[in-house]
Each structure stands twice: as C-alpha cells, then as structure tokens.
Amino acid sequence: MEDGSSLPLLVWLSPAFPVGSFAYSHGLEWACEAGDVVDNETCREWIADLLVYGSGRNDAILLAEAWRAMCDDRDDALKAVVELSLALQPSSERYLETTMQGKAFLATARAAW
C-alpha cells in the first residue's frame, strides 16, 4: 500500500498502543508463586488452558460474534455482544479494567484515524 493508507494500522503495533499496558494475568503471578508455573512447559500449559477453557476462549467467541454482527451491519447484534461481554466480567475490578482498556483503545484509534 504505497499510498500510506495502511499507516494508521501500524499504530496498533506500537508498544504505546493502549492494550499492552493493561495486563490481566488470570492469576499467573499467583500460579508462579504457588509453584504451579515453573518453566516454559507449565507456562505453555497455563496459556493453553486459558485459551481452551478460560476467558481466552470466551474472547474468541465474542470476537467472532462481533465480527459477524459488523459484517451483517447489525447494530443490535453488536450491542448484544458488548452487553454480554460486560456481563461476563467476574469482578468489579475486571469490569473496570475492561471498560477502561476499551475507552483507551477507542480514543487512540480515533486519534490515529
């Protein structure tokens, strides 16, 4: 894309983009301290379980549904996905982190475009 139209997408690759600064670890620090995660293999297992059984799986399902809603131009379906994703937050702290991360992401994306 020689015209530079893809340049705003590169903002997402920046370490300053507001996704990496929010790090909900799903208890990884405690798993390390408790001796459940001690090396590459146990870390790989931890992450695999998160993606297969945990919130990583939920995130993938929500992303797929949001994508379908956008492709079908169905604002009502997209709103339902957003409401469900917020309702699935297991604590007020996680809810706050999720909504703050979303707001930071949106503000940065708007500024980049």
Side-chain angles (χ1 to χ4, degrees), residues 18-40:
V19 291
S21 61
F22 291 85
Y24 186 71
S25 69
H26 305 278
L28 182 58
E29 294 93 346
W30 174 250
C32 291
E33 188 173 326
D36 296 329
V37 175
V38 295
D39 56 17
N40 287 345

Side-chain angles (χ1 to χ4, degrees), residues 26-108:
H26 305 278
L28 182 58
E29 294 93 346
W30 174 250
C32 291
E33 188 173 326
D36 296 329
V37 175
V38 295
D39 56 17
N40 287 345
E41 181 60 24
T42 53
C43 185
R44 187 201 61 75
E45 290 170 0
W46 181 272
I47 294 169
D49 284 349
L50 179 65
L51 295 174
V52 173
Y53 306 111
S55 64
R57 181 177 187 274
N58 294 346
D59 290 347
I61 292 168
L62 292 167
L63 177 62
E65 288 302 312
W67 178 261
R68 287 184 192 105
M70 291 298 296
C71 288
D72 295 340
D73 199 26
R74 295 206 38 228
D75 290 342
D76 60 325
L78 183 58
K79 183 179 178 188
V81 172
V82 170
E83 290 172 356
L84 177 60
S85 69
L86 292 175
L88 290 173
Q89 300 309 312
S91 68
S92 60
E93 293 84 4
R94 181 74 162 119
Y95 179 91
L96 179 61
E97 178 188 40
T98 298
T99 56
M100 294 300 294
Q101 182 178 4
K103 288 175 184 176
F105 180 94
L106 186 56
T108 303

